[in-house]
Amino acid sequence: MESCQFQQIKNFMSSTTIFYILNAVIIFNFLLSRILEYLNQSYSKSELPSELSSFYDAEKYKKSQQYHKESDRLGMWAEVISFIVMISFLWLNGFAWLNNILEPHFTNKIILALIYFGVLSIGSSIISLPFGIYSTYVIEEKYGFNKTTVRTYIMDKIKGILLSIVLGGGLGYLFLWLIISIGPNFWIYAWGLGILITLFLQMFYTSLIVPIFNKLSPLPAGELRDKIETYARSVNFPLTNVMIINGSKRSTKANAYFTGFGKGKKIVLYDTLIEKHSNEELVSILAHEVGHYKKKHIILSMILSWLQMGFMVWLLSRFIFSDTLSAALGVNHLAIHINLIVFSILFEPISLITGILMNILSRKNEYEADEFAVKTSDKPAFVKALINLSVDNLSNLKPHPSYVFFHYSHPTLLQRIGAIEKVEL
């Protein structure tokens, strides 16, 4: 019954209908992005708002506004170029044209698909490269953030390409093999594979992938480590690894994150974070990360991501073998790689909805982790750390509520401080 219903849907949708739906999705996403950016830019005031006067002085606020203005302008041009290229590629049958060039040379469908995606990836990288260079060496440099040498930038690109070929190519081959070899029930095995991969990355990403790009070292013995270990014991947190990452190799911006399970748990502090914050502030930041662990946020988020993944590959299995999808991009026979492109575009409205829901959950989790931090560490130090992080990174402290709703995984600084003030110790 289920397969019959999907067959009726596929029969109802002609290739022409799907083609116009693809255009509608792309245009909608572009317009939504532009509207949100416009609202966000219009919402910011040229003069320092009174509620921000305790964080920013007038000169620093002006610098922040100018930084976001220049970054947003660059982002707008990158989106416009990407939109024009995508729409042009659709209307000029670019996807079919590339397929017709490659197909005669590769009899193996999996290899054909990997080469096809590789060419598209190279094209996309070429288009985005000037924007990345300008962002790093003009905007980030102008506002004192950039520390990336040309050699580091080039090596990052080379390492990223090699990693994509080895890991991305290997996993892509396995995924395509499951589709072609198993048929419609491939989604069960693909889902299981996806779960294993996310578990592996959660446990070993920091140990295996991060060192390819950055140097990791244990936090040395001293006052800071003593304070961290004392705090960990006070909240019964089995702390085994506190690592420092040389984020200053690329930027002056600071961050911290939690990764791993069981004995493999790690808390990673950027060296720029340690340079700019007192020991009390650093302990409170760590307390926030411990809060995510204690509140089971990491496990919950992972389970929800698995459910999303399962739904996506199940839905993909309903449509991946439809030659109508291939025809929508001008290919007159079933081509799995073409169908993957069509599906990825058609799935974007669902991704938008799930992304909004995940952001809502994430913002709730941040409030809970903040509450845990202020209850178990130094409340004033934590508030000061949040303010310094936002101000030092020239964050937009007053974004438009609609922009926050769609894009922010964290509450704004003002929202977080307002919630912290209500916490009873």
Side-chain angles (χ1 to χ4, degrees), residues 36 39-40 43 363 398-408 412 415:
L36 290 174
L39 290 173
N40 202 38
Y43 196 64
R363 291 194 293 269
K398 199 175 179 183
H400 192 279
S402 297
Y403 195 88
V404 172
F405 178 76
F406 278 91
H407 290 303
Y408 274 41
T412 66
Q415 289 173 331

Side-chain angles (χ1 to χ4, degrees), residues 120-374:
L120 289 180
S121 179
I122 291 171
S124 177
S125 297
I126 291 173
I127 293 171
S128 64
L129 183 61
F131 297 101
I133 293 174
Y134 189 88
S135 174
T136 301
Y137 291 103
V138 177
I139 297 178
E140 297 294 302
E141 183 77 28
K142 178 179 178 180
Y143 291 92
F145 293 131
N146 179 48
K147 295 295 181 182
T148 308
T149 64
V150 173
R151 182 181 183 279
T152 297
Y153 192 89
I154 294 173
M155 290 304 298
D156 281 351
K157 291 295 181 183
I158 293 173
K159 291 174 183 178
I161 291 171
L162 293 176
L163 205 58
S164 296
I165 293 173
V166 175
L167 291 183
L171 293 174
Y173 187 98
L174 184 55
F175 180 68
L176 290 163
W177 180 84
L178 289 174
I179 294 174
I180 294 171
S181 301
I182 297 176
N185 288 329
F186 81 88
W187 71 272
I188 300 172
Y189 302 91
W191 188 18
L193 175 65
I195 290 173
L196 290 176
I197 291 170
T198 54
L199 279 172
F200 178 85
L201 290 176
Q202 180 65 26
M203 290 188 291
F204 300 110
Y205 174 79
T206 301
S207 302
L208 298 179
I209 306 299
V210 171
I212 297 175
F213 298 92
N214 287 91
K215 180 182 178 182
L216 282 168
S217 56
L219 179 66
E223 183 182 355
L224 176 57
R225 187 172 188 93
D226 291 341
K227 286 181 178 292
I228 288 175
E229 290 177 347
T230 299
Y231 169 78
R233 287 193 295 270
S234 72
V235 294
N236 194 28
F237 179 71
L239 182 66
T240 54
N241 292 301
V242 180
M243 309 297 292
I244 301 175
I245 186 172
N246 62 334
S248 58
K249 179 180 180 181
R250 294 174 179 81
S251 175
T252 62
K253 293 181 178 179
N255 202 356
Y257 64 90
F258 179 94
T259 184
F261 295 112
K263 294 183 178 179
K265 291 191 300 296
K266 287 186 177 69
I267 289 179
V268 180
L269 304 174
Y270 278 55
D271 56 355
T272 47
L273 191 74
I274 294 175
E275 291 170 5
K276 297 178 180 180
H277 295 270
S278 68
N279 288 346
E280 289 72 21
E281 291 173 27
L282 290 168
V283 170
S284 68
I285 292 171
L286 181 141
H288 173 89
E289 299 302 328
V290 171
H292 283 304
Y293 171 79
K294 288 285 189 176
K295 298 291 183 178
K296 312 296 184 185
H297 295 159
I298 298 170
I299 297 294
L300 177 59
S301 296
M302 185 166 290
I303 291 173
L304 289 175
S305 70
W306 290 343
L307 293 175
Q308 290 182 60
M309 184 194 308
F311 173 72
M312 184 182 69
V313 291
W314 169 79
L315 191 61
L316 174 64
S317 71
R318 306 298 97 182
F319 293 95
I320 190 65
F321 299 103
S322 169
D323 53 7
T324 306
L325 265 65
S326 299
L329 292 188
V331 178
N332 58 11
H333 59 274
L334 173 61
I336 297 297
H337 54 287
I338 298 295
N339 284 5
L340 285 170
I341 293 172
V342 175
F343 181 81
S344 67
I345 298 173
L346 294 177
F347 194 76
E348 285 184 11
I350 299 176
S351 293
L352 177 65
I353 295 171
T354 57
I356 291 172
L357 294 176
M358 290 299 289
N359 280 340
I360 292 172
L361 176 64
S362 177
R363 291 194 293 269
K364 181 186 78 71
N365 291 345
E366 292 302 321
Y367 283 128
E368 292 182 357
D370 284 353
E371 182 178 2
F372 181 89
V374 299

